[in-house]
Amino acid sequence: MFEVLTVGTFAIGCLMALFSPAWGLALIVVMYTLEQALQASSPIFLNILPLANVITAVAVGLGTLRAIARQDRPFLGYLSFIWIGTMVIFAWSGVTMLWSPSVSTGLPLITNGLPYLVLFVLVAPLLIDDIESVTKFLRVFLFYALAVVILIITNPKFTFWSGRLGLNLSALARTNPLTMGELGGNLLLLSALFRVGAGSVFTNLLRIAGFFLGAILALQSGSRGQIIFALLIAIVFYPISVRVKNIMGFLWTVAGAIVLVPSVLYVASLILGASEMRRWDVGTLAGGSEVRVENVLDLLGAFLRNPSAWVAGLGFNAFTSITKAGSEPYSHVMFVDIVAELGIPIFILFSIIMIVTMKDAIWLFRRFADDSIARTSLSVIFAFLTYQVLLVNKQGYLWAAMTFFFLVVVIARLRRRTEESDYDQSMLAGEETETQVEGVRSEEAH
């Protein structure tokens, strides 16, 4: 039964991705978690681990070609400064392998991440045409992500180990629970912020289910940062999602949102066992933070002791060769990785990318502040990016941060295409005004 439901859900997503950019984007975003659901349900996907990703890439690729053919000026806003800067960062990380002390560990990270760079940064942005396409994507994502979460939560093949939900791929290998936690957090954020009006009963029911089921998946995956980050970001971005008409209404909303935090923890106590709840002990949380701090100190210490690295960087994934712990595959703090492993010039470029992205986001918010649907859609995209900023500095590294870079590229593309659309409309309005004036003069002449 689970095989039919899961493979059927995947097949529907791939089929719809051929004809709908919104479905293509939704399929990309749920890809990592849906892959695990397929591996838990179907022997062929378990025996051929990359199969789901390959099929997804083919379906999205064909759908993108169709979308390009149907779009007006599809490459407008594509080759932006953000996109070019992003590609420079990734290209430079590959060049640094020439002097990196961790070629044996760093090179596989690059080769494994290259297909995802193509999918997320080269292909996926072409599926965003305008702000309306963002809204369509979020509607589909809410529905599709909820379906994937239900398939995982209800599948008995997923079991707990060390307080984390996952699937045993072999005697020594197990699926990554962080991807499930990330999807759960994204679904929680989307459900909390994507307000489409009281009349959309079905969508609002999906939002309620998505909020709690997303929180449950994040909790069961043992992803503490994901659930904490998502709840805090949902509260912070609420005023961006909905225009605040009076201070008291906003304060009551914030108070209600704060109540959700102990509510989620109460739900956790009901669905998690004692071993899973131990991951939420203060001592355990502090221990995880201490490991990140030690990683950063190791990496920055080596960077500061090597002046040549200030320009060229220590080399991608150099952390694994200099860490005192000796067991961490990367520092888990991407922003520090960029400055220490890729050098100060690349970090400056990255900082400029972040500044420009923030300016583009502010411009878009001001442009659509009076459009309730566009405003709520943008709030979700901005919240997703904020969520990714926190995650890549908790558990990420450059070649696994594709969702982060996808979002910054999309925000730049949205601004450029919106500016051009506004300009075209203003020119058209000017031409119509001139035509009307000429018509009036012609009548007066007669």
Side-chain angles (χ1 to χ4, degrees):
M1 176 182 176
F2 275 103
E3 181 173 6
V4 173
L5 290 175
T6 308
V7 175
T9 299
F10 180 55
I12 290 172
C14 291
L15 181 63
M16 294 299 295
L18 294 173
F19 302 98
S20 167
W23 275 90
L25 281 175
L27 185 62
I28 290 173
V29 177
V30 305
M31 176 177 64
Y32 296 122
T33 307
L34 180 55
E35 177 187 26
Q36 296 185 32
L38 289 166
Q39 291 166 352
S41 306
S42 175
I44 186 172
F45 288 99
L46 183 60
N47 294 329
I48 309 174
L49 296 181
L51 181 59
N53 291 342
V54 171
I55 295 175
T56 297
V58 171
V60 172
L62 293 175
T64 302
L65 291 176
R66 184 176 182 274
I68 290 174
R70 296 169 64 89
Q71 279 183 14
D72 177 31
R73 294 176 293 180
F75 293 99
L76 175 65
Y78 183 71
L79 296 177
S80 64
F81 166 77
I82 301 296
W83 187 91
I84 294 171
T86 295
M87 297 308 296
V88 168
I89 291 173
F90 279 101
W92 182 251
S93 72
V95 172
T96 65
M97 294 309 298
L98 295 174
W99 57 85
S100 173
S102 304
V103 176
S104 61
T105 56
L107 195 57
L109 295 179
I110 292 177
T111 54
N112 291 336
L114 190 57
Y116 300 103
L117 176 66
V118 173
L119 183 61
F120 278 81
V121 182
L122 274 68
V123 175
L126 292 168
L127 297 174
I128 293 292
D129 188 12
D130 51 24
I131 189 64
E132 292 182 4
S133 65
V134 175
T135 303
K136 291 177 182 178
F137 154 62
L138 294 177
R139 289 180 184 273
V140 173
F141 179 51
L142 175 61
F143 171 77
Y144 201 52
L146 182 58
V148 173
V149 168
I150 292 173
L151 288 172
I152 289 179
I153 291 177
T154 58
N155 194 329
K157 291 288 185 67
F158 286 93
T159 57
F160 288 99
W161 185 78
S162 296
R164 292 178 176 273
L165 185 69
L167 170 71
N168 291 325
L169 299 175
S170 66
L172 300 176
R174 190 171 170 85
T175 56
N176 184 1
L178 296 177
T179 60
M180 289 192 290
E182 182 176 337
L183 179 62
N186 276 326
L187 184 55
L188 188 157
L189 276 174
L190 176 59
S191 301
L193 297 174
F194 190 54
R195 305 172 67 87
V196 291
S200 303
V201 177
F202 178 69
T203 302
N204 287 323
L205 289 175
L206 290 180
R207 288 179 55 219
I208 295 171
F211 182 90
F212 286 102
L213 291 180
I216 288 173
L217 180 63
L219 288 166
Q220 289 185 333
S221 69
S223 304
R224 300 163 298 190
Q226 276 82 335
I227 190 72
I228 294 172
F229 294 158
L231 288 171
L232 293 177
I233 293 171
I235 295 172
V236 170
F237 276 81
Y238 177 80
I240 298 177
S241 175
V242 180
R243 183 183 293 277
V244 178
K245 298 180 179 180
N246 61 79
I247 188 64
M248 288 306 299
F250 172 66
L251 292 176
W252 276 112
T253 302
V254 171
I258 293 175
V259 171
L260 290 175
V261 177
S263 300
V264 170
L265 293 178
Y266 174 71
V267 171
S269 66
L270 296 178
I271 64 174
L272 300 180
S275 60
E276 289 79 42
M277 285 300 296
R278 276 197 293 271
R279 288 186 54 80
W280 292 87
D281 292 342
V282 175
T284 305
L285 290 171
S289 300
E290 289 174 1
V291 171
R292 302 294 190 274
V293 172
E294 291 175 0
N295 290 346
V296 168
L297 292 177
D298 285 348
L299 186 56
L300 288 180
F303 173 70
L304 293 174
R305 290 191 298 269
N306 188 348
S308 64
W310 300 355
V311 176
L314 294 168
F316 177 69
N317 201 232
F319 170 81
T320 57
S321 298
I322 63 177
T323 178
K324 297 175 183 177
S327 60
E328 295 284 322
Y330 40 87
S331 77
H332 291 73
V333 185
M334 190 188 79
F335 284 21
V336 175
D337 289 349
I338 290 176
V339 65
E341 296 182 347
L342 305 186
I344 293 176
I346 292 296
F347 183 73
I348 292 174
L349 172 61
F350 177 74
S351 299
I352 295 173
I353 287 174
M354 295 304 297
I355 292 171
V356 173
T357 299
M358 185 178 299
K359 290 182 177 180
D360 288 344
I362 293 172
W363 186 93
L364 286 167
F365 173 73
R366 289 174 175 171
R367 167 63 178 80
F368 293 104
D370 296 326
D371 185 331
S372 59
I373 300 299
R375 180 184 178 124
T376 194
S377 298
L378 285 173
S379 75
V380 176
I381 295 299
F382 299 159
F384 281 174
L385 179 56
T386 305
Y387 185 52
Q388 287 298 318
V389 169
L390 295 174
L391 289 183
V392 298
N393 290 298
K394 166 193 171 285
Q395 65 192 39
Y397 63 94
L398 181 66
W399 282 87
M402 300 307 170
T403 303
F404 168 85
F405 285 103
F406 161 72
L407 289 168
V408 298
V409 168
V410 160
I411 289 173
R413 176 173 168 85
L414 269 177
R415 175 175 179 172
R416 181 70 181 89
R417 293 182 70 84
T418 302
E419 284 181 323
E420 193 68 19
S421 176
D422 289 348
Y423 176 76
D424 290 344
Q425 290 179 10
S426 66
M427 292 296 292
L428 181 61
E431 291 176 359
E432 291 177 349
T433 301
E434 290 180 2
T435 301
Q436 292 173 358
V437 171
E438 290 176 359
V440 171
R441 290 175 178 173
S442 177
E443 291 178 358
E444 289 177 349
H446 287 82

